[in-house]
Each structure stands twice: as C-alpha cells, then as structure tokens.
Amino acid sequence: MKTRKIVALLLAAILVLSCTAALADTEKEIQFSGHTFGETLADFAKSSRIGWISFQDGRQPLVTRRIADPFFNWFTWMVYNQDSPVSYCINVQPDNSQEVAGHQASTNLKFYFPTAEDAAAYDLSKAIFYAGTYEFYDGDAASNFEDLKKKLTSVYGEPTAESSNPDDLWGEMHYSSNYSEQDIQNNLEEARKNYDPLNMVLWQSSANGAQIVLVYYAQDNGNWSSARLHYLDPKADEIIEGLYGSAGPVANDSVDGL
C-alpha cells in the first residue's frame, strides 16, 4: 500500500510539473518582423516601404485583446459605454506581401497616438507601434494553423496558454451595465455559432512582456476560415484606455519571420 501511495504521489508531482512547464512564459524577447514595439511611425518609415495608411473605423479603442480575440470584436459595442471623441488607431499596410515561416501572408501594423494633442493634430510622425498581424492566404487555414503552431513552439517553446475560450487567455470579459444577462448570453450564443471552431494559442514573453497569439476560426458552417498571427504589446493598453476611457479590466520548415 505504501509503495502505491508513493507512486501515486510521484505521478501527481509529474503532472503538476508538466502543467507548470506548459504554462511557462518564453524567455525570448518577442518582436514583430524586425520592428521594435514602441518605435514611432517616422522611424518605421525609414526602414520599411508603406503601401497605405488608414485610420481605424469606429471609435472604440483597439486594445490588444480586441485585435486578437474575435469574440471581443463581436462584443465591443456591449463592452464600451460610449464612443470616444477621437479615433486614433492607425493601420499601416506595407506595399508587398511577405513570406512567414513558409506561408504567404498580408501584413498589417497598428499604431496609436501617445497623447490627445497628437491625436487631434493627426501627427503621424509620433504614432507608436504596438501590434502587428499576419493574415495567411495560401493553402488550408486549419493546416496553416497547425504548421505555424509547431514552428512557433520550436522557436519560443511550449505555449503559455491554449484554448477555444478567449476568457482562458485574457480573463472574463466585462460588459456595460446597459445590457441584461439575457442580452449577453444571446450574443454569446451567436458568437459561438459564428466562430466555430475557434482555436487560440498564446506565447507570453518574460523578457519584454509582449505576446504572440495564433488564431484559427471558421465561419459560415466551415465554408470560410482564417489563420492569423498577432504580435502584441499589452503595455500599450493602459495608455490607449487612458485616452479613450477604460472599458474595464483589461509546409516548409522555415521559421523565418516568426
């Protein structure tokens, strides 16, 4: 009996250690395609050719969770109490596509104005880089997701978190008091139907606090699907929400570009 108890305790310890390892942050610094989070758009333009620049439609702040989490995007209007008086999220699209880890991808970078004065003046030279997204358009999205997950793991180690429920990655979403629990549940059910399946994998850097979020989801009964890779600097969220007003708690083995 004593031997069995010892074996059971050892197995439990191994399981705990395995879970701890799977949830460990990567020690590597996370950056996006050679660009440093916090650099200005003026600095970015010195080293990269810009195809176009646009200002984000809508006036709710694009905190990093909203960029990566399809559910948060779906629920934005139920999270924020009112529109912001200024819209200052800037989309920058380079003038060519890019190969990332053996897959063709379009690239989008997001910048924010660091002060209300810069936003009012639309002073693009001072805009700050805080998020970059690759959207993959070659091959099958589900296969791309699995291939990218494998390659990212080879670079950054086991993910910090992985789930089909975004709340497992970012915590429970907080909704405006203007909506009833029934309204929230009805919209949650719609979102689940709209993004089915939804798979998300997150790597968090202990070196600079940045995140990588790999996302796959299908829509229209599986007739359309998408694989996206987001590089995020969550430190920007506090600045963005401070200006807008808080929304509440916040087939190639190449790994080039990851």
Coordinates of all heavy atoms in Angstrom, one line a residue, residues 35-68:
H35 N 10.8 44.9 -36.2 CA 10.4 46.2 -35.7 C 10.2 46.1 -34.2 O 9.7 45.1 -33.7 CB 9.2 46.7 -36.4 CG 9.4 47.0 -37.8 ND1 10.0 48.1 -38.2 CD2 9.1 46.3 -38.9 CE1 10.1 48.1 -39.6 NE2 9.5 47.0 -40.0
T36 N 10.6 47.1 -33.5 CA 10.6 47.2 -32.0 C 9.3 47.8 -31.5 O 8.9 48.9 -32.0 CB 11.8 47.9 -31.4 OG1 13.0 47.3 -31.9 CG2 11.7 47.9 -29.9
F37 N 8.6 47.2 -30.6 CA 7.4 47.8 -30.1 C 7.8 49.1 -29.4 O 8.8 49.2 -28.7 CB 6.7 46.9 -29.0 CG 6.1 45.7 -29.6 CD1 6.5 44.4 -29.2 CD2 5.0 45.8 -30.5 CE1 5.9 43.3 -29.8 CE2 4.4 44.7 -31.1 CZ 4.9 43.4 -30.7
G38 N 7.0 50.2 -29.6 CA 7.3 51.5 -29.1 C 8.0 52.4 -30.1 O 8.2 53.6 -29.8
E39 N 8.5 51.9 -31.2 CA 9.1 52.8 -32.2 C 8.0 53.6 -32.9 O 6.8 53.3 -32.9 CB 9.9 52.0 -33.3 CG 9.0 51.2 -34.3 CD 9.9 50.5 -35.3 OE1 11.0 50.1 -35.0 OE2 9.3 50.3 -36.4
T40 N 8.4 54.8 -33.3 CA 7.5 55.7 -33.9 C 7.2 55.4 -35.4 O 8.1 54.7 -36.0 CB 8.0 57.2 -33.9 OG1 9.2 57.3 -34.6 CG2 8.2 57.6 -32.4
L41 N 6.2 55.9 -36.0 CA 5.9 55.7 -37.4 C 7.0 56.3 -38.2 O 7.3 55.8 -39.3 CB 4.5 56.2 -37.7 CG 4.0 56.0 -39.2 CD1 4.1 54.5 -39.6 CD2 2.5 56.5 -39.3
A42 N 7.5 57.4 -37.8 CA 8.6 58.1 -38.5 C 9.8 57.2 -38.6 O 10.4 57.1 -39.7 CB 9.0 59.4 -37.8
D43 N 10.1 56.5 -37.5 CA 11.3 55.5 -37.5 C 10.9 54.3 -38.4 O 11.8 53.8 -39.1 CB 11.6 55.1 -36.1 CG 12.2 56.2 -35.3 OD1 12.8 57.1 -35.8 OD2 12.1 56.1 -34.0
F44 N 9.7 53.9 -38.3 CA 9.3 52.7 -39.1 C 9.5 53.0 -40.6 O 9.9 52.2 -41.4 CB 7.8 52.4 -38.8 CG 7.2 51.3 -39.7 CD1 7.4 50.0 -39.4 CD2 6.5 51.6 -40.9 CE1 6.9 49.0 -40.2 CE2 6.0 50.6 -41.7 CZ 6.2 49.3 -41.3
A45 N 9.1 54.2 -41.0 CA 9.1 54.6 -42.4 C 10.5 54.7 -43.0 O 10.8 54.6 -44.2 CB 8.4 55.9 -42.6
K46 N 11.5 54.8 -42.1 CA 12.9 54.9 -42.5 C 13.4 53.5 -43.0 O 14.3 53.5 -43.9 CB 13.8 55.4 -41.4 CG 13.6 56.8 -41.0 CD 14.4 57.2 -39.8 CE 14.1 58.6 -39.3 NZ 14.9 58.9 -38.0
S47 N 12.8 52.4 -42.5 CA 13.3 51.1 -42.9 C 12.3 50.3 -43.7 O 12.7 49.2 -44.1 CB 13.7 50.4 -41.6 OG 12.6 50.2 -40.7
S48 N 11.1 50.7 -43.8 CA 10.1 49.9 -44.5 C 9.3 50.8 -45.4 O 9.0 51.9 -45.1 CB 9.1 49.3 -43.5 OG 9.8 48.4 -42.6
R49 N 8.9 50.2 -46.6 CA 8.1 50.9 -47.5 C 6.6 50.7 -47.2 O 6.1 49.6 -46.9 CB 8.3 50.4 -49.0 CG 9.7 50.7 -49.4 CD 10.0 50.1 -50.8 NE 9.0 50.7 -51.8 CZ 9.0 50.4 -53.1 NH1 9.8 49.4 -53.5 NH2 8.1 50.9 -53.9
I50 N 5.9 51.8 -47.1 CA 4.5 51.8 -46.7 C 3.6 51.8 -47.9 O 3.7 52.7 -48.8 CB 4.1 53.0 -45.8 CG1 5.0 52.9 -44.5 CG2 2.6 53.1 -45.5 CD1 4.8 54.1 -43.6
G51 N 2.6 50.9 -48.0 CA 1.7 50.8 -49.1 C 0.5 51.8 -48.9 O 0.2 52.6 -49.8
W52 N -0.1 51.8 -47.7 CA -1.1 52.7 -47.4 C -1.3 52.9 -45.9 O -0.8 52.0 -45.1 CB -2.5 52.4 -48.0 CG -2.9 51.0 -47.8 CD1 -2.8 50.0 -48.7 CD2 -3.6 50.4 -46.7 NE1 -3.4 48.8 -48.2 CE2 -3.9 49.1 -47.0 CE3 -4.0 50.9 -45.5 CZ2 -4.5 48.2 -46.1 CZ3 -4.7 50.1 -44.6 CH2 -4.9 48.8 -44.9
I53 N -1.9 54.0 -45.5 CA -2.2 54.2 -44.1 C -3.7 54.6 -44.0 O -4.2 55.3 -44.8 CB -1.3 55.4 -43.5 CG1 0.1 55.1 -43.6 CG2 -1.8 55.8 -42.1 CD1 1.0 56.2 -43.2
S54 N -4.3 54.0 -43.0 CA -5.7 54.3 -42.8 C -6.0 54.5 -41.3 O -5.2 54.0 -40.5 CB -6.7 53.2 -43.4 OG -6.5 52.0 -42.6
F55 N -7.1 55.2 -41.0 CA -7.5 55.3 -39.6 C -8.6 54.4 -39.3 O -9.5 54.1 -40.1 CB -7.9 56.8 -39.3 CG -6.8 57.8 -39.4 CD1 -6.5 58.4 -40.6 CD2 -6.0 58.0 -38.3 CE1 -5.4 59.3 -40.6 CE2 -5.0 58.9 -38.3 CZ -4.7 59.5 -39.5
Q56 N -8.6 53.8 -38.1 CA -9.5 52.7 -37.8 C -10.9 53.2 -37.8 O -11.3 54.2 -37.3 CB -9.2 52.2 -36.4 CG -10.1 51.0 -35.9 CD -9.8 49.8 -36.7 OE1 -8.6 49.5 -37.0 NE2 -10.8 49.0 -36.9
D57 N -11.8 52.4 -38.5 CA -13.2 52.6 -38.5 C -13.7 52.4 -37.1 O -13.3 51.5 -36.4 CB -14.0 51.7 -39.5 CG -13.6 52.1 -40.9 OD1 -13.2 53.2 -41.1 OD2 -13.7 51.2 -41.7
G58 N -14.7 53.2 -36.7 CA -15.2 53.1 -35.3 C -14.4 53.8 -34.3 O -13.2 54.1 -34.6
R59 N -14.9 54.1 -33.2 CA -14.2 55.0 -32.2 C -13.9 54.3 -30.9 O -13.4 54.9 -30.0 CB -14.9 56.3 -32.0 CG -15.0 57.1 -33.3 CD -15.6 58.5 -33.1 NE -15.7 59.3 -34.3 CZ -14.7 60.0 -34.8 NH1 -13.5 60.0 -34.2 NH2 -14.8 60.6 -35.9
Q60 N -14.2 53.0 -30.8 CA -13.7 52.3 -29.5 C -12.3 52.0 -29.7 O -11.8 51.7 -30.7 CB -14.5 51.0 -29.3 CG -16.0 51.3 -29.0 CD -16.9 51.4 -30.2 OE1 -16.4 51.4 -31.3 NE2 -18.2 51.6 -29.9
P61 N -11.5 52.0 -28.5 CA -10.1 51.7 -28.6 C -9.8 50.3 -29.0 O -10.5 49.4 -28.6 CB -9.6 52.0 -27.2 CG -10.8 51.8 -26.4 CD -12.0 52.3 -27.2
L62 N -8.8 50.2 -29.8 CA -8.3 48.8 -30.2 C -7.3 48.4 -29.2 O -6.1 48.4 -29.5 CB -7.8 48.8 -31.6 CG -8.8 48.8 -32.8 CD1 -8.1 48.6 -34.1 CD2 -9.8 47.7 -32.6
V63 N -7.7 48.0 -28.0 CA -6.8 47.4 -27.1 C -6.3 46.0 -27.7 O -7.0 45.5 -28.6 CB -7.4 47.1 -25.7 CG1 -7.7 48.5 -25.0 CG2 -8.7 46.3 -25.8
T64 N -5.2 45.5 -27.2 CA -4.6 44.3 -27.9 C -5.6 43.1 -27.9 O -5.6 42.3 -28.9 CB -3.3 43.9 -27.2 OG1 -3.5 43.8 -25.8 CG2 -2.3 45.0 -27.5
R65 N -6.4 43.0 -26.9 CA -7.3 41.8 -26.9 C -8.3 41.9 -28.0 O -8.6 40.9 -28.7 CB -8.1 41.7 -25.6 CG -9.1 40.6 -25.6 CD -9.8 40.3 -24.3 NE -10.7 39.2 -24.4 CZ -11.3 38.6 -23.4 NH1 -11.1 39.0 -22.1 NH2 -12.1 37.6 -23.6
R66 N -8.8 43.1 -28.3 CA -9.7 43.3 -29.4 C -9.1 43.0 -30.7 O -9.8 42.5 -31.7 CB -10.3 44.7 -29.4 CG -11.4 44.9 -30.5 CD -11.9 46.3 -30.6 NE -12.8 46.4 -31.7 CZ -13.2 47.6 -32.2 NH1 -12.8 48.7 -31.7 NH2 -14.0 47.6 -33.3
I67 N -7.8 43.2 -30.9 CA -7.1 42.9 -32.2 C -7.1 41.4 -32.4 O -7.3 40.9 -33.5 CB -5.7 43.4 -32.1 CG1 -5.8 45.0 -32.1 CG2 -4.9 43.0 -33.3 CD1 -4.4 45.6 -31.9
A68 N -6.8 40.6 -31.3 CA -6.6 39.2 -31.5 C -7.8 38.3 -31.2 O -7.8 37.2 -31.7 CB -5.4 38.8 -30.5

